[in-house]
């Protein structure tokens, strides 16, 4: 997604974010009403059957998720266009580890000795990276933490279709975005390429991946899906160095080596299952 985000680099991160939300919102609701209306009706029925305290909890979780995804999207766009593509890539490399830490403290999920060791090594990686650029690390941690907390909130709000939940979350985001556009009297961009870029971000890099992930979880094991998630930041790092020509200081290679080792340790059981299935 860094490529189309860079296409509109001359626009502010806020404008890119606002129009991404509105474009994704429009396309997503259109898709739901045309092709997934029965899932929407089912979710409405499920919500109505919940006890009042569960309804209140679901509303609170949905609002929290909306705030978190809004913050995650903004920090990612800003980092790609004004910090570095590497900082955004590193964020999604450490995101599963931060998610595990958040799940440990919030959801009381247990972490074995191997995973605790992996998290310690990941901390060393972040410290190593910070010796060269504290700004990059802070942005990476911000992006990763917002998305990790978003995943935790999503995990706590079970029983609803993910596309429907995203549509509701984007609707809540739009309640902030639309007044903001009117108050600031933003001129609507007229360049066709801007809208092509925004639609590419909204559809190709937002809605379609979520739909594919929902389909994947019904067709392949969660362990395989978990391993494949790391393809994303690895592609982003490759693009940062090759396509965007970003320089990599020697200490960064050391930090990346630490984090890759931490990932292997953290997912050791999953990796063994994955390798066994491939064989």
């Amino acid at each position: 997604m860094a490529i189309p985000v860079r296409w509109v680099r001359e626009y502010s991160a806020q404008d890119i974010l606002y129009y991404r939300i509105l474009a994704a919102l429009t396309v997503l609701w259109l898709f739901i009403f045309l092709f997934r209306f029965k899932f929407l009706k089912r979710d409405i029925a499920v919500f109505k059957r919940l006890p009042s305290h569960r309804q209140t909890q679901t509303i609170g979780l949905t609002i929290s998720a909306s705030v978190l995804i809004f913050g995650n999207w903004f920090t990612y766009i800003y980092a790609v266009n004004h910090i570095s593509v590497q900082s955004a890539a590193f964020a999604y490399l450490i995101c599963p580890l931060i998610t595990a830490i958040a799940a440990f403290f919030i959801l009381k999920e247990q972490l074995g000795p191997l995973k605790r060791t992996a998290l310690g090594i990941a901390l060393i990686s972040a410290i190593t990276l910070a010796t060269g650029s504290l700004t990059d690390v802070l942005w990476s941690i911000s992006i990763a933490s917002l998305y990790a907390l978003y995943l935790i909130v999503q995990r706590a709000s079970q029983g609803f279709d993910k596309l429907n939940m995203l549509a509701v979350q984007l609707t809540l985001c739009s309640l902030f975005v639309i007044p903001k556009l009117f108050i600031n009297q933003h001129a609507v961009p007229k360049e066709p390429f801007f809208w092509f870029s925004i639609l590419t971000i909204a559809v190709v890099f937002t809605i379609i991946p979520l739909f594919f992930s929902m389909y994947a979880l019904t067709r392949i094991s969660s362990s395989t899906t978990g391993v494949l998630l790391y393809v994303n930041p690895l592609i982003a790092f490759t693009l940062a160095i090759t396509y965007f020509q970003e320089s990599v200081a020697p200490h960064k290679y050391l930090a990346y080596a630490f984090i890759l080792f931490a990932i292997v340790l953290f997912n050791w059981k999953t990796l063994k299952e994955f390798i066994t299935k491939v064989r």
Side-chain angles (χ1 to χ4, degrees):
M1 191 173 72
I3 293 175
V5 169
R6 278 286 180 93
W7 288 345
V8 286
R9 191 176 188 177
E10 66 272 17
Y11 293 88
S12 69
Q14 291 97 322
D15 282 350
I16 299 170
L17 172 64
Y18 294 166
Y19 291 115
R20 176 192 183 182
I21 288 171
L22 295 178
L25 176 68
T26 304
V27 174
L28 188 53
W29 275 121
L30 186 63
F31 179 75
I32 288 170
F33 278 114
L34 288 176
F35 303 107
R36 296 176 62 83
F37 190 66
K38 64 178 181 179
F39 295 101
L40 179 62
K41 288 175 65 178
R42 185 202 66 185
D43 280 357
I44 293 172
V46 168
F47 179 78
K48 287 181 177 178
R49 287 197 299 267
L50 291 175
S52 57
H53 73 279
R54 283 291 310 281
Q55 289 184 352
T56 303
Q57 182 188 50
T58 301
I59 292 170
L61 289 171
T62 304
I63 293 171
S64 298
S66 303
V67 173
L68 291 167
I69 199 64
F70 186 93
N72 172 259
W73 285 5
F74 173 77
T75 50
Y76 176 85
I77 292 168
Y78 188 90
V80 166
N81 281 348
H82 302 288
I83 308 298
S84 69
V85 175
Q86 291 177 62
S87 65
F90 189 76
Y92 286 101
L93 207 54
I94 63 173
C95 184
L97 305 177
I98 293 179
T99 304
I101 295 172
F104 175 76
F105 287 106
I106 299 171
L107 301 179
K108 307 302 179 185
E109 293 184 1
Q110 295 304 306
L111 293 171
L114 202 61
K115 290 191 174 184
R116 293 189 184 196
T117 303
L119 293 174
I121 295 170
L123 178 61
I124 294 172
S125 172
I127 293 170
T128 304
L129 201 61
T131 58
S133 175
L134 181 60
T135 301
D136 280 24
V137 172
L138 291 176
W139 276 98
S140 295
I141 292 174
S142 297
I143 296 168
S145 297
L146 286 164
Y147 194 66
L149 290 172
Y150 174 75
L151 293 177
I152 295 295
V153 170
Q154 291 287 83
R155 195 179 300 177
S157 181
Q158 295 291 334
F160 298 98
D161 182 86
K162 287 186 178 180
L163 284 179
N164 289 338
M165 291 302 293
L166 180 62
V168 173
Q169 291 158 12
L170 292 181
T171 301
L172 291 174
C173 290
S174 71
L175 297 179
F176 170 81
V177 168
I178 294 173
K180 189 78 172 172
L181 289 173
F182 278 108
I183 291 169
N184 292 346
Q185 296 183 338
H186 281 221
V188 178
K190 295 182 174 60
E191 296 82 356
F193 189 70
F194 172 83
W195 289 107
F196 171 77
S197 304
I198 292 296
L199 283 171
T200 301
I201 295 168
V203 178
V204 179
F205 294 101
T206 303
I207 298 171
I208 291 177
L210 180 62
F211 183 75
F212 280 174
S213 69
M214 290 170 57
Y215 182 82
L217 287 172
T218 65
R219 300 291 176 174
I220 61 178
S221 68
S222 57
S223 61
T224 303
T225 306
V227 171
L228 292 176
L229 284 175
Y230 289 103
V231 173
N232 174 13
L234 293 177
I235 290 173
F237 273 121
T238 304
L239 284 173
I241 297 166
T242 57
Y243 184 82
F244 294 110
Q245 300 292 307
E246 291 185 358
S247 60
V248 183
H251 76 278
K252 287 188 177 181
Y253 285 111
L254 182 62
Y256 298 155
F258 277 132
I259 197 66
L260 286 173
F261 183 57
I263 288 167
V264 171
L265 272 185
F266 192 85
N267 295 279
W268 183 245
K269 183 179 177 182
T270 304
L271 285 168
K272 285 200 297 184
E273 292 176 4
F274 180 73
I275 293 168
T276 302
K277 286 178 182 177
V278 170
R279 287 178 179 175

